[in-house]
Amino acid sequence: RLGNKDVLTDINFTVEPGRIFGLVGENGAGKTTLIKCITGVYRPEQGAVLIDGKNVYDNPTIKERIGYVADQNRYFPSYRIKELLSFYALAYPRFSSERFWELNKIFKLPATARVKELSKGMQMRLTLMLSLSIRPDILVLDEPTSGLDPLAKREVINLLLQEVESRD
């Protein structure tokens, strides 16, 4: 429920390793709300989101294994990209700066740029690179190609397919 409105009811699904699972629906159908429950941002009023049999909400050990690319990225606007790497390294034990710079060979973001100086598409690329660099077991994407030009969209989709194939 959001306020007085039932948003999600009777949701039950399982995603097997190595699979890409999509949510399709009209605006306002509850896709982003469901995603925020899956990632542990929201606590479901009823039921639970389980990963390997463990509740996601309020579980930092499980959340360390989840990469999340939101539809709108609200990073620290005054941080430089290279400063975000230090933050991620502290927050995620499996974070790999090497992986980030490897991905940046594709996306070519300037390391000294401040987040607020980046376009929406560049911020989306940054978020994706950071999320992939934590080497997540589960990657949750909410409109990951929003703000990207057609060539960048293709690069992102190819990168995601390669990631699923190589890391299951």
Short mmCIF file of all heavy atoms in Angstrom, two decimals, residues 112-153:
data_model
loop_
_atom_site.label_atom_id
_atom_site.label_comp_id
_atom_site.label_asym_id
_atom_site.label_seq_id
_atom_site.Cartn_x
_atom_site.Cartn_y
_atom_site.Cartn_z
N THR A 112 37.38 12.93 -13.19
CA THR A 112 37.38 14.12 -12.34
C THR A 112 36.06 14.89 -12.41
O THR A 112 35.89 15.88 -11.70
CB THR A 112 38.53 15.06 -12.72
OG1 THR A 112 38.40 15.41 -14.10
CG2 THR A 112 39.88 14.39 -12.47
N ALA A 113 35.12 14.44 -13.23
CA ALA A 113 33.84 15.14 -13.35
C ALA A 113 33.02 14.96 -12.08
O ALA A 113 33.05 13.91 -11.44
CB ALA A 113 33.05 14.60 -14.55
N ARG A 114 32.30 16.00 -11.73
CA ARG A 114 31.36 15.92 -10.61
C ARG A 114 30.04 15.32 -11.12
O ARG A 114 29.67 15.53 -12.26
CB ARG A 114 31.11 17.29 -9.99
CG ARG A 114 32.35 17.88 -9.36
CD ARG A 114 32.02 19.15 -8.58
NE ARG A 114 33.24 19.80 -8.13
CZ ARG A 114 33.95 19.45 -7.08
NH1 ARG A 114 33.56 18.43 -6.34
NH2 ARG A 114 35.04 20.08 -6.75
N VAL A 115 29.38 14.59 -10.27
CA VAL A 115 28.13 13.93 -10.66
C VAL A 115 27.14 14.94 -11.22
O VAL A 115 26.50 14.68 -12.24
CB VAL A 115 27.53 13.15 -9.47
CG1 VAL A 115 26.17 12.59 -9.82
CG2 VAL A 115 28.48 12.04 -9.04
N LYS A 116 27.04 16.11 -10.61
CA LYS A 116 26.08 17.12 -11.06
C LYS A 116 26.40 17.66 -12.45
O LYS A 116 25.54 18.24 -13.10
CB LYS A 116 25.96 18.26 -10.05
CG LYS A 116 27.22 19.08 -9.89
CD LYS A 116 27.04 20.12 -8.81
CE LYS A 116 28.34 20.85 -8.51
NZ LYS A 116 28.20 21.74 -7.37
N GLU A 117 27.61 17.45 -12.93
CA GLU A 117 28.00 17.91 -14.26
C GLU A 117 27.65 16.91 -15.35
O GLU A 117 27.75 17.22 -16.53
CB GLU A 117 29.52 18.15 -14.29
CG GLU A 117 29.99 19.22 -13.33
CD GLU A 117 31.51 19.25 -13.16
OE1 GLU A 117 32.21 18.32 -13.62
OE2 GLU A 117 31.99 20.21 -12.56
N LEU A 118 27.22 15.72 -14.96
CA LEU A 118 26.93 14.66 -15.92
C LEU A 118 25.49 14.76 -16.41
O LEU A 118 24.59 15.09 -15.65
CB LEU A 118 27.16 13.29 -15.28
CG LEU A 118 28.55 13.00 -14.73
CD1 LEU A 118 28.56 11.65 -14.03
CD2 LEU A 118 29.59 13.05 -15.83
N SER A 119 25.30 14.43 -17.68
CA SER A 119 23.94 14.36 -18.23
C SER A 119 23.21 13.18 -17.60
O SER A 119 23.82 12.33 -16.94
CB SER A 119 24.00 14.18 -19.75
OG SER A 119 24.49 12.87 -20.05
N LYS A 120 21.90 13.11 -17.83
CA LYS A 120 21.11 12.00 -17.29
C LYS A 120 21.65 10.67 -17.81
O LYS A 120 21.79 9.70 -17.06
CB LYS A 120 19.64 12.16 -17.68
CG LYS A 120 18.77 11.05 -17.16
CD LYS A 120 17.31 11.24 -17.54
CE LYS A 120 16.49 10.08 -17.00
NZ LYS A 120 15.11 10.13 -17.40
N GLY A 121 21.97 10.61 -19.08
CA GLY A 121 22.51 9.38 -19.67
C GLY A 121 23.85 9.01 -19.08
O GLY A 121 24.13 7.83 -18.83
N MET A 122 24.70 10.00 -18.84
CA MET A 122 26.01 9.73 -18.24
C MET A 122 25.84 9.25 -16.79
O MET A 122 26.57 8.36 -16.34
CB MET A 122 26.89 10.97 -18.31
CG MET A 122 27.29 11.34 -19.72
SD MET A 122 28.10 12.95 -19.79
CE MET A 122 29.79 12.46 -19.55
N GLN A 123 24.89 9.83 -16.07
CA GLN A 123 24.63 9.38 -14.71
C GLN A 123 24.12 7.94 -14.71
O GLN A 123 24.48 7.15 -13.82
CB GLN A 123 23.63 10.30 -14.01
CG GLN A 123 24.22 11.63 -13.64
CD GLN A 123 23.27 12.50 -12.86
OE1 GLN A 123 22.33 12.02 -12.24
NE2 GLN A 123 23.50 13.80 -12.89
N MET A 124 23.31 7.58 -15.70
CA MET A 124 22.81 6.21 -15.79
C MET A 124 23.98 5.26 -16.05
O MET A 124 24.07 4.19 -15.45
CB MET A 124 21.76 6.11 -16.90
CG MET A 124 21.07 4.77 -16.95
SD MET A 124 20.17 4.32 -15.46
CE MET A 124 18.76 5.40 -15.56
N ARG A 125 24.89 5.64 -16.94
CA ARG A 125 26.08 4.82 -17.19
C ARG A 125 26.92 4.66 -15.93
O ARG A 125 27.40 3.57 -15.62
CB ARG A 125 26.93 5.44 -18.31
CG ARG A 125 26.29 5.38 -19.65
CD ARG A 125 27.16 6.05 -20.70
NE ARG A 125 26.29 6.47 -21.78
CZ ARG A 125 26.50 7.50 -22.56
NH1 ARG A 125 27.57 8.27 -22.39
NH2 ARG A 125 25.66 7.81 -23.51
N LEU A 126 27.11 5.77 -15.22
CA LEU A 126 27.88 5.74 -13.97
C LEU A 126 27.25 4.76 -12.98
O LEU A 126 27.95 3.93 -12.40
CB LEU A 126 27.95 7.14 -13.37
CG LEU A 126 28.59 7.26 -11.98
CD1 LEU A 126 30.04 6.80 -12.01
CD2 LEU A 126 28.46 8.69 -11.48
N THR A 127 25.95 4.85 -12.82
CA THR A 127 25.26 3.96 -11.88
C THR A 127 25.41 2.51 -12.29
O THR A 127 25.66 1.64 -11.45
CB THR A 127 23.76 4.33 -11.82
OG1 THR A 127 23.65 5.71 -11.52
CG2 THR A 127 23.05 3.53 -10.75
N LEU A 128 25.28 2.24 -13.57
CA LEU A 128 25.43 0.87 -14.06
C LEU A 128 26.86 0.38 -13.82
O LEU A 128 27.06 -0.75 -13.35
CB LEU A 128 25.08 0.80 -15.54
CG LEU A 128 25.15 -0.57 -16.17
CD1 LEU A 128 24.17 -1.53 -15.53
CD2 LEU A 128 24.87 -0.48 -17.66
N MET A 129 27.85 1.20 -14.12
CA MET A 129 29.24 0.81 -13.91
C MET A 129 29.53 0.52 -12.44
O MET A 129 30.19 -0.46 -12.10
CB MET A 129 30.18 1.90 -14.45
CG MET A 129 30.17 2.00 -15.96
SD MET A 129 30.91 3.49 -16.67
CE MET A 129 32.27 3.86 -15.64
N LEU A 130 29.03 1.39 -11.56
CA LEU A 130 29.23 1.18 -10.13
C LEU A 130 28.55 -0.10 -9.67
O LEU A 130 29.13 -0.89 -8.91
CB LEU A 130 28.71 2.38 -9.34
CG LEU A 130 29.54 3.66 -9.44
CD1 LEU A 130 28.76 4.85 -8.90
CD2 LEU A 130 30.88 3.52 -8.75
N SER A 131 27.32 -0.32 -10.14
CA SER A 131 26.58 -1.52 -9.73
C SER A 131 27.25 -2.79 -10.23
O SER A 131 27.32 -3.79 -9.51
CB SER A 131 25.14 -1.44 -10.23
OG SER A 131 24.45 -0.43 -9.55
N LEU A 132 27.74 -2.78 -11.45
CA LEU A 132 28.43 -3.96 -11.97
C LEU A 132 29.77 -4.18 -11.27
O LEU A 132 30.23 -5.31 -11.15
CB LEU A 132 28.63 -3.85 -13.49
CG LEU A 132 27.37 -3.99 -14.33
CD1 LEU A 132 27.68 -3.70 -15.80
CD2 LEU A 132 26.75 -5.36 -14.17
N SER A 133 30.37 -3.10 -10.79
CA SER A 133 31.68 -3.20 -10.14
C SER A 133 31.61 -3.78 -8.74
O SER A 133 32.64 -4.15 -8.18
CB SER A 133 32.36 -1.83 -10.12
OG SER A 133 32.61 -1.40 -11.44
N ILE A 134 30.42 -3.86 -8.17
CA ILE A 134 30.30 -4.53 -6.87
C ILE A 134 30.20 -6.05 -7.08
O ILE A 134 30.12 -6.79 -6.12
CB ILE A 134 29.13 -4.01 -6.01
CG1 ILE A 134 27.79 -4.38 -6.63
CG2 ILE A 134 29.25 -2.53 -5.75
CD1 ILE A 134 26.62 -4.11 -5.71
N ARG A 135 30.21 -6.46 -8.34
CA ARG A 135 30.11 -7.87 -8.73
C ARG A 135 28.90 -8.52 -8.04
O ARG A 135 29.04 -9.48 -7.28
CB ARG A 135 31.41 -8.59 -8.42
CG ARG A 135 32.56 -8.04 -9.25
CD ARG A 135 33.84 -8.71 -8.94
NE ARG A 135 34.26 -8.32 -7.60
CZ ARG A 135 35.48 -8.26 -7.17
NH1 ARG A 135 36.44 -8.61 -7.96
NH2 ARG A 135 35.78 -7.91 -5.95
N PRO A 136 27.72 -7.96 -8.35
CA PRO A 136 26.51 -8.45 -7.66
C PRO A 136 26.09 -9.83 -8.12
O PRO A 136 26.34 -10.24 -9.25
CB PRO A 136 25.46 -7.41 -8.07
CG PRO A 136 25.88 -7.00 -9.44
CD PRO A 136 27.40 -6.98 -9.38
N ASP A 137 25.45 -10.55 -7.22
CA ASP A 137 24.81 -11.81 -7.58
C ASP A 137 23.48 -11.53 -8.26
O ASP A 137 23.01 -12.32 -9.07
CB ASP A 137 24.58 -12.67 -6.34
CG ASP A 137 25.87 -13.10 -5.69
OD1 ASP A 137 26.87 -13.31 -6.41
OD2 ASP A 137 25.91 -13.21 -4.45
N ILE A 138 22.87 -10.41 -7.90
CA ILE A 138 21.58 -10.00 -8.45
C ILE A 138 21.71 -8.56 -8.88
O ILE A 138 22.17 -7.70 -8.11
CB ILE A 138 20.48 -10.14 -7.38
CG1 ILE A 138 20.37 -11.60 -6.97
CG2 ILE A 138 19.15 -9.60 -7.89
CD1 ILE A 138 19.88 -11.79 -5.58
N LEU A 139 21.32 -8.29 -10.10
CA LEU A 139 21.35 -6.93 -10.63
C LEU A 139 19.93 -6.52 -10.94
O LEU A 139 19.25 -7.16 -11.75
CB LEU A 139 22.23 -6.86 -11.88
CG LEU A 139 22.41 -5.48 -12.51
CD1 LEU A 139 23.09 -4.52 -11.54
CD2 LEU A 139 23.22 -5.60 -13.79
N VAL A 140 19.45 -5.46 -10.29
CA VAL A 140 18.09 -4.98 -10.46
C VAL A 140 18.16 -3.63 -11.16
O VAL A 140 18.83 -2.70 -10.68
CB VAL A 140 17.37 -4.85 -9.09
CG1 VAL A 140 15.96 -4.34 -9.28
CG2 VAL A 140 17.38 -6.18 -8.36
N LEU A 141 17.48 -3.55 -12.29
CA LEU A 141 17.53 -2.35 -13.12
C LEU A 141 16.14 -1.77 -13.29
O LEU A 141 15.21 -2.48 -13.66
CB LEU A 141 18.09 -2.70 -14.50
CG LEU A 141 19.38 -3.52 -14.52
CD1 LEU A 141 19.65 -4.06 -15.90
CD2 LEU A 141 20.54 -2.67 -14.04
N ASP A 142 16.00 -0.48 -13.05
CA ASP A 142 14.73 0.21 -13.25
C ASP A 142 14.94 1.21 -14.38
O ASP A 142 15.53 2.27 -14.17
CB ASP A 142 14.29 0.90 -11.96
CG ASP A 142 12.86 1.40 -11.99
OD1 ASP A 142 12.24 1.35 -13.08
OD2 ASP A 142 12.36 1.84 -10.95
N GLU A 143 14.50 0.86 -15.56
CA GLU A 143 14.64 1.68 -16.77
C GLU A 143 16.11 2.05 -17.02
O GLU A 143 16.46 3.23 -17.08
CB GLU A 143 13.76 2.92 -16.69
CG GLU A 143 12.28 2.56 -16.58
CD GLU A 143 11.37 3.75 -16.75
OE1 GLU A 143 11.71 4.66 -17.53
OE2 GLU A 143 10.31 3.76 -16.11
N PRO A 144 16.98 1.06 -17.18
CA PRO A 144 18.41 1.33 -17.27
C PRO A 144 18.85 2.04 -18.55
O PRO A 144 19.97 2.53 -18.60
CB PRO A 144 19.03 -0.07 -17.21
CG PRO A 144 17.97 -0.94 -17.79
CD PRO A 144 16.68 -0.35 -17.31
N THR A 145 18.00 2.09 -19.55
CA THR A 145 18.40 2.77 -20.78
C THR A 145 17.77 4.16 -20.89
O THR A 145 17.93 4.82 -21.90
CB THR A 145 18.05 1.94 -22.02
OG1 THR A 145 16.63 1.72 -22.06
CG2 THR A 145 18.78 0.61 -22.02
N SER A 146 17.11 4.61 -19.82
CA SER A 146 16.50 5.94 -19.81
C SER A 146 17.59 7.00 -19.96
O SER A 146 18.58 7.01 -19.24
CB SER A 146 15.76 6.14 -18.49
OG SER A 146 15.21 7.43 -18.42
N GLY A 147 17.39 7.88 -20.91
CA GLY A 147 18.34 8.97 -21.13
C GLY A 147 19.52 8.61 -22.01
O GLY A 147 20.38 9.44 -22.26
N LEU A 148 19.59 7.36 -22.47
CA LEU A 148 20.71 6.94 -23.31
C LEU A 148 20.35 7.07 -24.79
O LEU A 148 19.21 6.82 -25.19
CB LEU A 148 21.08 5.48 -23.02
CG LEU A 148 21.55 5.15 -21.61
CD1 LEU A 148 21.88 3.66 -21.51
CD2 LEU A 148 22.75 5.98 -21.22
N ASP A 149 21.34 7.43 -25.59
CA ASP A 149 21.13 7.48 -27.04
C ASP A 149 21.11 6.04 -27.57
O ASP A 149 21.50 5.10 -26.86
CB ASP A 149 22.23 8.31 -27.71
CG ASP A 149 23.62 7.74 -27.48
OD1 ASP A 149 23.93 6.68 -28.09
OD2 ASP A 149 24.39 8.33 -26.71
N PRO A 150 20.66 5.83 -28.81
CA PRO A 150 20.53 4.46 -29.34
C PRO A 150 21.82 3.64 -29.30
O PRO A 150 21.79 2.45 -29.00
CB PRO A 150 20.05 4.67 -30.78
CG PRO A 150 19.34 5.98 -30.74
CD PRO A 150 20.09 6.81 -29.72
N LEU A 151 22.97 4.25 -29.57
CA LEU A 151 24.23 3.50 -29.54
C LEU A 151 24.58 3.09 -28.11
O LEU A 151 25.02 1.96 -27.87
CB LEU A 151 25.37 4.33 -30.14
CG LEU A 151 25.28 4.57 -31.65
CD1 LEU A 151 26.41 5.49 -32.11
CD2 LEU A 151 25.31 3.26 -32.41
N ALA A 152 24.38 4.00 -27.17
CA ALA A 152 24.66 3.67 -25.77
C ALA A 152 23.70 2.60 -25.27
O ALA A 152 24.10 1.72 -24.50
CB ALA A 152 24.58 4.92 -24.91
N LYS A 153 22.44 2.64 -25.71
CA LYS A 153 21.48 1.61 -25.33
C LYS A 153 21.97 0.23 -25.78
O LYS A 153 21.91 -0.73 -25.03
CB LYS A 153 20.10 1.88 -25.94
CG LYS A 153 19.33 2.95 -25.26
CD LYS A 153 17.97 3.14 -25.89
CE LYS A 153 17.27 4.31 -25.24
NZ LYS A 153 15.92 4.53 -25.74
#
